[in-house]
Coordinates of all heavy atoms in Angstrom, one line a residue:
S3 N 101.1 114.9 90.0 CA 100.8 114.8 88.5 C 100.1 113.5 88.3 O 99.1 113.4 87.5 CB 102.0 115.0 87.7 OG 102.9 114.0 88.0
D4 N 100.6 112.4 88.9 CA 99.9 111.1 88.8 C 98.5 111.2 89.3 O 97.5 110.6 88.7 CB 100.7 110.0 89.5 CG 102.1 109.8 88.9 OD1 102.2 110.1 87.7 OD2 103.0 109.3 89.6
F5 N 98.3 111.8 90.5 CA 97.0 111.9 91.1 C 96.0 112.7 90.1 O 94.9 112.3 89.9 CB 97.1 112.6 92.4 CG 95.8 112.7 93.2 CD1 95.3 111.7 93.9 CD2 95.0 113.8 93.0 CE1 94.1 111.7 94.6 CE2 93.8 113.9 93.7 CZ 93.3 112.9 94.5
E6 N 96.5 113.8 89.6 CA 95.7 114.6 88.7 C 95.3 113.8 87.4 O 94.2 113.9 86.9 CB 96.4 115.9 88.3 CG 96.5 116.8 89.5 CD 97.4 118.0 89.2 OE1 97.9 118.1 88.1 OE2 97.5 118.9 90.1
G7 N 96.3 113.0 86.9 CA 96.0 112.1 85.8 C 94.9 111.1 86.1 O 94.0 110.9 85.3
Y8 N 94.9 110.5 87.3 CA 93.9 109.6 87.7 C 92.5 110.4 87.8 O 91.5 109.8 87.5 CB 94.2 108.9 89.0 CG 95.3 107.9 89.0 CD1 96.3 107.9 89.9 CD2 95.4 107.0 87.9 CE1 97.4 107.0 89.8 CE2 96.4 106.1 87.9 CZ 97.4 106.1 88.8 OH 98.4 105.2 88.7
E9 N 92.6 111.6 88.3 CA 91.4 112.4 88.5 C 90.7 112.6 87.1 O 89.5 112.5 87.0 CB 91.7 113.8 89.1 CG 91.8 113.8 90.6 CD 92.0 115.2 91.1 OE1 92.9 115.9 90.6 OE2 91.3 115.6 92.1
Q10 N 91.5 113.0 86.1 CA 91.0 113.2 84.8 C 90.3 111.9 84.2 O 89.2 112.0 83.7 CB 92.1 113.7 83.8 CG 92.6 115.1 84.2 CD 93.8 115.5 83.3 OE1 94.2 114.8 82.5 NE2 94.3 116.7 83.6
D11 N 91.0 110.8 84.4 CA 90.5 109.5 83.9 C 89.2 109.2 84.6 O 88.2 108.7 84.0 CB 91.5 108.4 84.1 CG 92.7 108.6 83.3 OD1 92.7 109.3 82.3 OD2 93.8 108.0 83.6
F12 N 89.1 109.5 85.9 CA 87.9 109.2 86.7 C 86.8 110.1 86.3 O 85.6 109.6 86.2 CB 88.2 109.4 88.2 CG 87.1 109.1 89.1 CD1 86.8 107.8 89.5 CD2 86.3 110.1 89.7 CE1 85.7 107.5 90.3 CE2 85.3 109.8 90.5 CZ 85.0 108.5 90.8
A13 N 87.1 111.3 86.0 CA 86.0 112.3 85.6 C 85.4 111.8 84.2 O 84.2 111.8 84.1 CB 86.6 113.7 85.5
V14 N 86.3 111.4 83.3 CA 85.8 111.0 82.0 C 85.0 109.7 82.1 O 83.9 109.6 81.5 CB 87.0 110.8 81.0 CG1 86.5 110.1 79.7 CG2 87.7 112.1 80.7
L15 N 85.5 108.8 82.9 CA 84.8 107.5 83.1 C 83.5 107.6 83.8 O 82.5 107.1 83.3 CB 85.7 106.6 83.9 CG 85.3 105.1 84.0 CD1 85.2 104.5 82.6 CD2 86.3 104.3 84.8
T16 N 83.4 108.4 84.8 CA 82.1 108.6 85.5 C 81.1 109.3 84.6 O 79.9 109.1 84.7 CB 82.3 109.4 86.8 OG1 83.1 110.6 86.6 CG2 83.1 108.6 87.9
A17 N 81.6 110.3 83.8 CA 80.6 110.9 82.9 C 80.0 109.9 81.9 O 78.8 110.0 81.6 CB 81.4 112.1 82.1
E18 N 80.9 109.0 81.4 CA 80.4 108.0 80.5 C 79.4 107.1 81.2 O 78.3 106.7 80.7 CB 81.5 107.2 79.9 CG 82.5 107.9 79.0 CD 83.6 107.1 78.5 OE1 83.6 105.9 78.9 OE2 84.4 107.6 77.7
I19 N 79.7 106.7 82.4 CA 78.8 105.8 83.2 C 77.5 106.5 83.4 O 76.4 105.8 83.3 CB 79.5 105.4 84.5 CG1 80.7 104.5 84.3 CG2 78.5 104.7 85.4 CD1 81.6 104.2 85.5
T20 N 77.5 107.8 83.8 CA 76.3 108.5 84.1 C 75.4 108.5 82.8 O 74.1 108.3 82.9 CB 76.6 109.9 84.5 OG1 77.4 109.9 85.7 CG2 75.3 110.7 84.8
G21 N 76.0 108.8 81.7 CA 75.2 108.8 80.5 C 74.6 107.4 80.1 O 73.4 107.3 79.7
K22 N 75.4 106.4 80.3 CA 74.9 105.0 80.0 C 73.8 104.6 81.0 O 72.8 103.9 80.6 CB 76.1 104.1 80.0 CG 77.0 104.3 78.9 CD 78.2 103.3 78.9 CE 79.2 103.5 77.7 NZ 80.3 102.6 77.8
I23 N 73.9 104.9 82.3 CA 72.9 104.5 83.2 C 71.6 105.2 82.9 O 70.5 104.6 83.0 CB 73.3 105.0 84.7 CG1 74.5 104.1 85.1 CG2 72.2 104.9 85.6 CD1 75.1 104.5 86.5
A24 N 71.6 106.4 82.4 CA 70.4 107.1 82.0 C 69.8 106.5 80.8 O 68.5 106.6 80.6 CB 70.7 108.6 81.8
R25 N 70.6 105.9 79.9 CA 70.1 105.3 78.7 C 69.5 103.9 78.9 O 68.7 103.4 78.0 CB 71.2 105.3 77.6 CG 71.6 106.6 77.1 CD 72.9 106.5 76.3 NE 72.8 105.5 75.3 CZ 73.8 105.0 74.6 NH1 75.0 105.4 74.9 NH2 73.6 104.1 73.7
V26 N 69.9 103.2 80.0 CA 69.5 101.8 80.1 C 68.0 101.6 80.0 O 67.5 100.7 79.2 CB 70.0 101.2 81.5 CG1 69.4 99.9 81.8 CG2 71.5 101.1 81.4
P27 N 67.1 102.3 80.8 CA 65.7 102.0 80.7 C 65.1 102.2 79.3 O 64.0 101.7 79.0 CB 65.1 103.0 81.7 CG 66.2 103.3 82.6 CD 67.4 103.4 81.7
R28 N 65.7 103.0 78.5 CA 65.1 103.4 77.2 C 65.6 102.5 76.0 O 65.1 102.7 74.9 CB 65.4 104.8 76.9 CG 64.8 105.8 77.9 CD 64.9 107.2 77.3 NE 66.2 107.7 77.1 CZ 67.0 108.3 78.0 NH1 66.6 108.5 79.2 NH2 68.2 108.7 77.7
L29 N 66.5 101.5 76.3 CA 67.0 100.7 75.2 C 66.2 99.5 75.0 O 65.5 99.0 75.9 CB 68.5 100.3 75.6 CG 69.5 101.5 75.6 CD1 70.8 100.9 76.1 CD2 69.7 102.1 74.2
P30 N 66.3 98.9 73.8 CA 65.7 97.6 73.6 C 66.3 96.5 74.5 O 67.4 96.7 74.9 CB 65.9 97.3 72.1 CG 66.2 98.6 71.5 CD 66.9 99.4 72.6
P31 N 65.6 95.4 74.7 CA 66.1 94.3 75.6 C 67.6 93.9 75.4 O 68.4 93.8 76.3 CB 65.1 93.2 75.5 CG 63.9 93.9 75.0 CD 64.3 95.0 74.2
D32 N 67.9 93.6 74.1 CA 69.2 93.1 73.8 C 70.3 94.1 74.1 O 71.3 93.8 74.7 CB 69.3 92.7 72.3 CG 68.5 91.4 72.1 OD1 68.1 90.7 73.0 OD2 68.1 91.2 70.9
E33 N 70.0 95.4 73.7 CA 71.0 96.4 73.9 C 71.1 96.8 75.4 O 72.1 97.1 75.9 CB 70.5 97.7 73.2 CG 70.6 97.5 71.7 CD 70.3 98.8 70.9 OE1 70.3 99.9 71.6 OE2 70.1 98.7 69.7
K34 N 69.9 96.6 76.2 CA 70.0 96.9 77.6 C 70.9 95.9 78.3 O 71.7 96.3 79.2 CB 68.5 96.7 78.2 CG 67.6 97.9 77.9 CD 66.3 97.6 78.6 CE 65.3 98.8 78.3 NZ 64.0 98.5 78.9
K35 N 70.8 94.6 77.9 CA 71.7 93.6 78.6 C 73.1 93.9 78.3 O 74.0 93.9 79.2 CB 71.3 92.3 78.0 CG 72.1 91.1 78.7 CD 71.6 89.8 78.1 CE 72.4 88.6 78.8 NZ 72.0 87.3 78.3
Q36 N 73.5 94.3 77.1 CA 74.9 94.7 76.8 C 75.3 95.9 77.5 O 76.4 96.0 78.0 CB 75.0 94.8 75.2 CG 76.4 95.1 74.8 CD 76.5 95.2 73.3 OE1 75.5 95.1 72.6 NE2 77.7 95.5 72.8
M37 N 74.4 96.9 77.6 CA 74.7 98.1 78.3 C 75.0 97.9 79.7 O 75.9 98.5 80.3 CB 73.6 99.2 78.0 CG 73.9 100.5 78.6 SD 75.3 101.4 77.8 CE 74.5 101.8 76.3
V38 N 74.1 97.1 80.4 CA 74.3 96.8 81.8 C 75.7 96.2 82.0 O 76.4 96.5 83.0 CB 73.2 95.9 82.3 CG1 73.5 95.3 83.7 CG2 71.9 96.7 82.4
A39 N 76.0 95.2 81.2 CA 77.3 94.5 81.4 C 78.5 95.6 81.2 O 79.5 95.5 81.9 CB 77.5 93.4 80.3
N40 N 78.3 96.5 80.2 CA 79.3 97.5 80.0 C 79.5 98.4 81.2 O 80.6 98.8 81.6 CB 78.9 98.3 78.7 CG 80.1 99.1 78.2 OD1 81.0 99.5 78.9 ND2 80.0 99.5 76.9
V41 N 78.3 98.8 81.7 CA 78.4 99.7 82.9 C 79.0 99.0 84.1 O 79.8 99.6 84.8 CB 77.0 100.2 83.3 CG1 77.0 100.9 84.6 CG2 76.4 101.1 82.2
E42 N 78.7 97.7 84.3 CA 79.4 97.0 85.4 C 80.9 97.0 85.2 O 81.6 97.2 86.2 CB 78.8 95.6 85.4 CG 77.4 95.5 85.9 CD 76.9 94.0 85.8 OE1 77.5 93.2 85.1 OE2 75.9 93.7 86.5
K43 N 81.3 96.8 84.0 CA 82.8 96.8 83.8 C 83.4 98.1 84.1 O 84.5 98.2 84.7 CB 83.0 96.4 82.3 CG 84.5 96.3 82.0 CD 84.7 95.9 80.5 CE 86.2 95.8 80.1 NZ 86.4 95.4 78.7
Q44 N 82.7 99.2 83.6 CA 83.3 100.5 83.8 C 83.2 100.9 85.3 O 84.1 101.6 85.8 CB 82.5 101.5 83.0 CG 82.8 101.4 81.5 CD 82.2 102.6 80.7 OE1 81.1 103.0 81.0 NE2 82.9 103.1 79.7
L45 N 82.2 100.4 86.0 CA 82.2 100.7 87.5 C 83.4 100.1 88.2 O 84.0 100.7 89.1 CB 80.9 100.2 88.1 CG 79.6 101.1 87.8 CD1 78.4 100.4 88.3 CD2 79.8 102.4 88.5
E46 N 83.8 98.9 87.8 CA 84.9 98.2 88.3 C 86.2 99.0 88.0 O 87.1 99.2 88.8 CB 85.1 96.8 87.8 CG 84.0 95.8 88.3 CD 84.1 95.7 89.8 OE1 85.2 95.7 90.3 OE2 83.0 95.5 90.4
E47 N 86.3 99.5 86.8 CA 87.4 100.4 86.4 C 87.5 101.6 87.3 O 88.6 102.1 87.7 CB 87.3 100.7 84.9 CG 87.5 99.6 84.0 CD 87.3 100.0 82.5 OE1 87.1 101.2 82.3 OE2 87.4 99.1 81.6
A48 N 86.3 102.2 87.5 CA 86.3 103.4 88.4 C 86.7 103.1 89.8 O 87.5 103.9 90.4 CB 84.9 104.0 88.4
K49 N 86.3 102.0 90.3 CA 86.8 101.6 91.6 C 88.3 101.4 91.7 O 88.9 101.8 92.7 CB 86.1 100.3 92.1 CG 84.6 100.4 92.4 CD 84.0 99.1 92.8 CE 82.5 99.2 93.0 NZ 81.9 97.9 93.4
E50 N 88.8 100.8 90.6 CA 90.3 100.6 90.6 C 91.0 102.0 90.5 O 92.1 102.1 91.2 CB 90.7 99.8 89.4 CG 90.2 98.3 89.4 CD 90.6 97.5 88.2 OE1 91.1 98.1 87.2 OE2 90.2 96.3 88.1
L51 N 90.4 102.9 89.8 CA 91.0 104.3 89.8 C 91.0 104.9 91.2 O 92.0 105.5 91.6 CB 90.3 105.2 88.8 CG 90.6 105.0 87.3 CD1 89.7 105.8 86.4 CD2 92.1 105.4 87.0
L52 N 89.9 104.7 91.9 CA 89.8 105.3 93.2 C 90.8 104.7 94.1 O 91.4 105.3 95.0 CB 88.4 105.0 93.8 CG 87.3 106.0 93.4 CD1 86.0 105.6 94.0 CD2 87.6 107.4 93.7

Side-chain angles (χ1 to χ4, degrees):
S3 60
D4 293 337
F5 184 85
E6 291 173 357
Y8 290 135
E9 276 185 315
Q10 293 176 0
D11 293 341
F12 183 78
V14 172
L15 189 57
T16 51
E18 292 180 1
I19 293 172
T20 302
K22 290 179 180 179
I23 289 175
R25 290 168 54 195
V26 166
R28 298 192 299 269
L29 293 175
D32 293 339
E33 293 184 14
K34 284 181 182 179
K35 184 176 181 181
Q36 183 178 0
M37 184 67 74
V38 167
N40 194 335
V41 172
E42 288 177 343
K43 181 179 179 181
Q44 288 188 320
L45 284 173
E46 291 298 324
E47 293 177 1
K49 289 180 181 178
E50 291 177 0
L51 280 175
L52 280 180

